[in-house]
Amino acid sequence: MIDALQGLPSNPPSLYVDLEGESLSRHGSISLLQIYASPRDHTYLVDICALGARAFSVRGAGGRTLKQILESASIPKVFFDVRNDSDALYGHYGIDLSGVQDLQLMELATRTFAGRRFVSGLSKCIERDAPLTAAERLAWKAAKEKGLRLFAPERGGSYRVFDERPLSEDIRLYCVQDVRFLPRLWSRYDARLTPMWRQRVRDAAAERVAQSQSADFNGKGKHMALAPRGWC
């Protein structure tokens, strides 16, 4: 897998990343890491629950590790709200993310229908902005609903399903669906970014990573829905 993630185009970005886990943070756990490589149209599911630190230290044929890819400033990685993912990766494995592009910030920067006081969630962005066919939209909603019923506590589920092996087909599909439409959102938002807002998004993404690594970072609460300071 490591070799398949190298040598890919950087503009548009090739790698789209998400994580799953119970109370995803330095205080919780990481179960899975999903990487969608858009030029290959393939989603890689990395079993962090089973591999632990080895997932980030195994070298590919070219000598690089997943940790080095995640920390490389020259390899763009697209996340949707990087904060809790970064908190978990840094807290558990010392991974200092770099080259991050945050879709949540890109949406906020290009928003025209309302103010910029609050950020949007991924589901809302996909429903509103991702150019999906009717069949794709139906499949995405079905996979999302099945996944939520299995892992969301408020729906009677448990996040521990991400640690069950073999991984259920419904959870596998949920994980794949979570990242495979991110490139379409990136294209939509990137086309609308002005040079000024592009720089502000870049700076805010780096600030989110830095904040997530601070000793007093709290990734839960109403403050997580607020726009970066000065964006309103």
Side-chain angles (χ1 to χ4, degrees), residues 99-110:
V100 169
Q101 297 188 26
D102 194 320
L103 277 172
Q104 188 179 60
L105 294 171
M106 292 175 69
E107 185 279 327
L108 188 65
T110 58

Side-chain angles (χ1 to χ4, degrees), residues 171-231:
I171 288 297
R172 188 192 69 81
L173 284 174
Y174 172 86
C175 293
V176 169
Q177 293 277 72
D178 237 19
V179 288
R180 69 182 297 256
F181 295 127
L182 297 186
R184 302 191 199 184
L185 287 179
W186 185 92
S187 295
R188 185 72 171 263
Y189 301 145
D190 182 73
R192 299 175 177 175
L193 280 174
T194 65
M196 183 271 287
W197 275 108
R198 192 181 306 278
Q199 185 61 50
R200 293 189 75 175
V201 166
R202 188 179 298 118
D203 292 343
E207 185 176 350
R208 278 185 161 188
V209 171
Q211 288 174 344
S212 74
Q213 297 174 356
S214 65
D216 59 352
F217 176 74
N218 176 16
K220 308 293 182 184
K222 293 181 179 179
H223 65 283
M224 294 291 284
L226 297 176
R229 187 172 300 176
W231 279 39

Side-chain angles (χ1 to χ4, degrees), residues 1-2 30-35 44-59 66-67 92-93 95 162-163 165:
M1 181 199 77
I2 302 299
I30 304 175
S31 302
L32 296 166
L33 185 150
Q34 305 103 274
I35 304 176
Y44 299 91
L45 298 183
V46 185
D47 193 344
I48 308 301
C49 179
L51 296 172
R54 286 182 298 155
F56 304 102
S57 61
V58 171
R59 296 186 182 277
L66 181 55
K67 183 178 190 290
H92 291 289
Y93 301 108
I95 293 173
F162 290 112
D163 292 336
R165 300 294 180 271

Side-chain angles (χ1 to χ4, degrees), residues 18-34 45-50 84-89 92-93 147-148 150-154 157-165 167 171 174-175 178 220:
D18 191 27
L19 282 78
E20 307 294 347
E22 186 170 6
S23 187
L24 187 66
S25 67
R26 70 190 71 179
H27 306 296
S29 62
I30 304 175
S31 302
L32 296 166
L33 185 150
Q34 305 103 274
L45 298 183
V46 185
D47 193 344
I48 308 301
C49 179
N84 284 332
D85 292 349
S86 175
D87 179 26
L89 287 169
H92 291 289
Y93 301 108
L148 285 170
L150 288 171
F151 73 77
E154 65 273 15
S158 169
Y159 283 101
R160 293 183 181 179
V161 296
F162 290 112
D163 292 336
E164 294 175 359
R165 300 294 180 271
L167 202 64
I171 288 297
Y174 172 86
C175 293
D178 237 19
K220 308 293 182 184

Side-chain angles (χ1 to χ4, degrees), residues 31-43:
S31 302
L32 296 166
L33 185 150
Q34 305 103 274
I35 304 176
Y36 178 68
S38 58
R40 305 190 187 285
D41 191 25
H42 187 81
T43 301

